[in-house]
Amino acid sequence: MANHGSNGSSDDLTFPLEIPPAKIRFTKLFIGGEFVDSVSGKTFETIDPRTGETIARVSEGDKEDIDLAVGAARRAFDHGPWPRLPGAARAKIMHKFADLIDQHIEELATLDTLNAGKLFSWGKAVDIPSVANTLRYFAGAADKIHGQVLKMSRELHAYTLLEPIGVVGLIIPWNFPSTMFFVKVSPALAAGCTMVVKPAEQTPLSALFYAHLAKEAGIPDGVINVVSGYGPTAGAALTSHMNVDKVSFTGSTEVGRKVMQAAAASNLKTVSLELGGKSPLLIFDDADIDQAADLALLGVMHNKGEVCVAGSRVLVQEAIYDEFVKTLVEKAKEWVVGDPFHPNSRVGPQVDKKQYEKVMSYIEHGKREGATLLTGGKPAAKKGYYIEPTVFTDVTEDMMISRDEIFGPVMALMKFKTIEEGIKYANNTKYGLASGIVTKSLDIANTVSRSIKAGVVWINCYHGFDIDCPFGGYKMSGFGKDFGMEALHKYLQTKAVVTPIYNSPWL
């Protein structure tokens, strides 16, 4: 195991004695209820970030494959049973889907560890059970989709219907392959939509396995289609397709712009975007320093920093800054870098070589721009894409490590004097996805939470996600909510039905 008790690099990460068996069963596209080769016959390598070695070759979908998948989804929506089933019938099948996931927790967690470098222990205990529960949550809403009867101002009777929006394109990121698959698929299924899912090219394996389980659960052919491939080809074809009614995208702000442009240039399909972040964590001088240091490290080191809401800008009030820094550096040693199958590892490898090199380049930018490297900053192994947990201090607002989303285990520490200055620093970003506050003062918590321009504010906690709590961004972090009933409404549209009334005793 690397870095046990220090952040020094290691030449040889200790690997677990036994890795759970994971035969790669599904590598083809899933279209119309069947696993098929791509039209071109092309495949691409999917890589194990622990070693940089190839796990398997996966079918590479392109425009022709997207056309076939959208066609299957369109037939399933226009003529198939899924949108026409009573909500309770859809719910029953969704519950069976969730039960099948529970039966394959270890295999699915293994796939996400091999493919994305995610901690196996976390996937087995949290990620995979949570996606099954996400399905169950939205299954519970499937038979509770109601319109309203309207009180009109003249002799008209009117009501609204909430109808499924149609064929949806779902583009998911690589950092939480299973979680993000079901954050999008679950409400779309409950609403009665059909869909084409484009998993990230780095992490296609679990998505293809979920397609198999969907068929086994009894979800009709064509309702869920999965096309693995690259963003500029398969992703672009999906976002610009004239027969897709909505696109939901999670990823970078740069690509989010292209998604919106494609939607506008094609059929003006609706779009929801969950994009980048550079989230602030404000620590006030009345905070418990041990708690604050633990939350700061959790905020940016969890999932090796590959989290859109990562609290990568840690703003500390000056009276406790020096003591906080000392405590933080000591606690950073507890974030052991190692093979994600090892139970003692807390930081696995970055998802691929490109992301590894991007994070390392930002660390070099931080050094060149004059920030002080407190700890970490180096590769953690000779093989694989491991990076030490890294903390910079003496960071200023104009530095790249303060402005840009790094998507790695890199923290930028800054100090502030007053509450007003802390709020100003927190809001000095183009992003607005998440934020955190650590304080014992209710007045400070109330003032600051109402002043920060972000979609979620966590007070004395971080990564406080729950399926019932809407999540989405402000500013250039996107729009539209995942989780909660607001997520369901993204996949529904409202139809008003109006008829005259005659000789009624009242309107």
Side-chain angles (χ1 to χ4, degrees):
M1 175 191 344
N3 303 344
H4 196 33
S6 77
N7 278 336
S9 63
S10 169
D11 293 343
D12 181 30
L13 296 177
T14 298
F15 282 70
L17 296 176
E18 293 185 19
I19 295 175
K23 180 182 178 184
I24 309 303
R25 294 201 265 162
F26 306 105
T27 58
K28 296 184 178 183
L29 313 180
F30 188 78
I31 298 175
E34 302 294 335
F35 283 101
V36 297
D37 291 318
S38 59
V39 172
S40 68
K42 291 192 295 186
T43 62
F44 64 94
E45 292 181 335
T46 190
I47 302 297
D48 182 346
R50 301 173 311 134
T51 62
E53 297 170 0
T54 300
I55 305 169
R57 295 197 69 89
V58 178
S59 291
E60 181 183 336
D62 208 330
K63 182 179 185 301
E64 293 80 8
D65 306 288
I66 291 292
D67 284 341
L68 292 173
V70 172
R74 175 55 62 192
R75 288 189 295 275
F77 186 79
D78 290 346
H79 307 294
W82 189 253
R84 293 158 188 84
L85 286 175
R90 287 201 298 271
K92 185 176 181 180
I93 296 172
M94 291 173 68
H95 278 292
K96 185 175 180 183
F97 192 3
D99 292 342
L100 288 170
I101 292 169
D102 282 340
Q103 293 170 26
H104 294 84
I105 284 176
E106 186 159 300
E107 188 169 2
L108 288 161
T110 300
L111 288 177
D112 280 351
T113 299
L114 289 173
N115 216 184
K118 297 179 69 66
L119 296 181
F120 175 71
S121 59
W122 185 269
K124 189 175 175 182
V126 179
D127 279 2
I128 310 304
S130 292
V131 303
N133 288 332
T134 299
L135 262 175
R136 295 185 179 104
Y137 177 89
F138 286 104
D143 61 353
K144 300 171 185 68
I145 298 171
H146 307 305
Q148 294 178 308
V149 175
L150 305 177
K151 179 70 172 175
M152 305 290 272
S153 62
R154 55 200 184 99
E155 291 181 336
L156 298 169
H157 171 65
Y159 60 92
T160 60
L161 296 171
L162 295 180
E163 299 181 341
I165 201 165
V167 175
V168 297
L170 307 175
I171 303 177
I172 60 176
W174 44 258
N175 58 331
F176 287 89
S178 290
T179 300
M180 296 311 303
F181 185 98
F182 285 99
V183 161
K184 298 182 187 300
V185 165
S186 303
L189 285 174
C193 294
T194 62
M195 61 210 71
V196 178
V197 183
K198 209 293 282 183
E201 55 266 31
Q202 295 89 342
T203 55
L205 296 179
S206 58
L208 294 169
F209 197 108
Y210 290 123
H212 159 71
L213 294 182
K215 184 175 178 71
E216 196 172 314
I219 292 177
D221 294 348
V223 173
I224 296 179
N225 305 273
V226 178
V227 178
S228 50
Y230 293 97
T233 51
L238 187 58
T239 57
S240 61
H241 204 287
M242 295 296 291
N243 232 345
V244 171
D245 301 301
K246 176 189 173 56
V247 170
S248 177
F249 169 80
T250 297
S252 70
T253 298
E254 177 189 7
V255 177
R257 290 179 187 272
K258 296 178 180 177
V259 171
M260 284 195 74
Q261 290 167 351
S266 54
N267 60 345
L268 283 174
K269 59 179 67 68
T270 63
V271 175
S272 55
L273 303 173
E274 195 259 278
L275 306 176
K278 192 69 179 175
S279 300
L281 174 65
L282 289 97
I283 299 170
F284 291 89
D285 57 16
D286 65 340
D288 179 292
I289 289 178
D290 278 333
Q291 178 196 33
D294 285 336
L295 288 176
L297 288 164
L298 174 68
V300 74
M301 303 303 170
H302 175 63
N303 202 51
K304 57 277 189 10
E306 293 174 348
V307 187
C308 53
V309 298
S312 52
R313 291 187 298 140
V314 177
L315 312 174
V316 184
Q317 203 159 13
E318 62 180 1
I320 62 167
Y321 186 85
D322 291 341
E323 186 180 355
F324 173 84
V325 167
K326 182 180 177 182
T327 302
L328 184 81
V329 170
E330 286 301 310
K331 287 181 176 289
K333 297 173 185 176
E334 300 169 11
W335 284 77
V336 175
V337 183
D339 185 276
F341 281 109
H342 199 291
N344 291 342
S345 297
R346 295 187 72 183
V347 181
Q350 309 309 128
V351 72
D352 63 8
K353 184 178 181 181
K354 180 180 177 182
Q355 184 62 23
Y356 168 85
E357 290 175 346
K358 175 187 172 185
V359 176
M360 291 304 301
S361 73
Y362 271 109
I363 291 172
E364 293 306 310
H365 277 299
K367 294 176 185 176
R368 282 199 299 271
E369 290 183 326
T372 300
L373 183 63
L374 281 179
T375 186
K378 298 189 294 297
K382 288 185 176 179
K383 184 169 71 170
Y385 306 126
Y386 297 88
I387 297 175
E388 295 175 350
T390 300
V391 179
F392 282 101
T393 189
D394 300 321
V395 177
T396 58
E397 290 183 284
D398 59 337
M399 291 181 181
M400 290 179 69
I401 58 171
S402 176
R403 292 186 286 108
D404 293 0
E405 183 178 41
I406 298 173
F407 229 61
V410 181
M411 180 190 300
L413 271 175
M414 301 168 63
K415 70 173 70 171
F416 65 92
K417 294 180 181 179
T418 64
I419 294 173
E420 293 73 21
E421 187 176 53
I423 292 168
K424 175 178 172 290
Y425 286 170
N427 286 332
N428 186 19
T429 173
K430 63 186 178 182
Y431 298 113
L433 194 55
S435 59
I437 302 167
V438 188
T439 181
K440 295 175 183 174
S441 167
L442 182 61
D443 289 340
I444 291 174
N446 283 336
T447 298
V448 177
S449 61
R450 284 159 172 77
S451 302
I452 291 178
K453 297 179 176 67
V456 62
V457 181
W458 290 308
I459 300 173
N460 295 329
C461 62
Y462 210 85
H463 298 308
F465 290 106
D466 188 83
I467 187 58
D468 205 37
C469 183
F471 170 72
Y474 283 19
K475 299 191 282 187
M476 290 179 69
S477 290
F479 48 84
K481 299 296 182 182
D482 290 322
F483 300 144
M485 288 301 99
E486 288 190 45
L488 179 66
H489 289 126
K490 292 195 305 189
Y491 301 98
L492 296 165
Q493 54 191 353
T494 302
K495 176 186 285 180
V497 181
V498 183
T499 183
I501 52 175
Y502 303 101
N503 303 318
S504 173
W506 50 72
L507 292 177

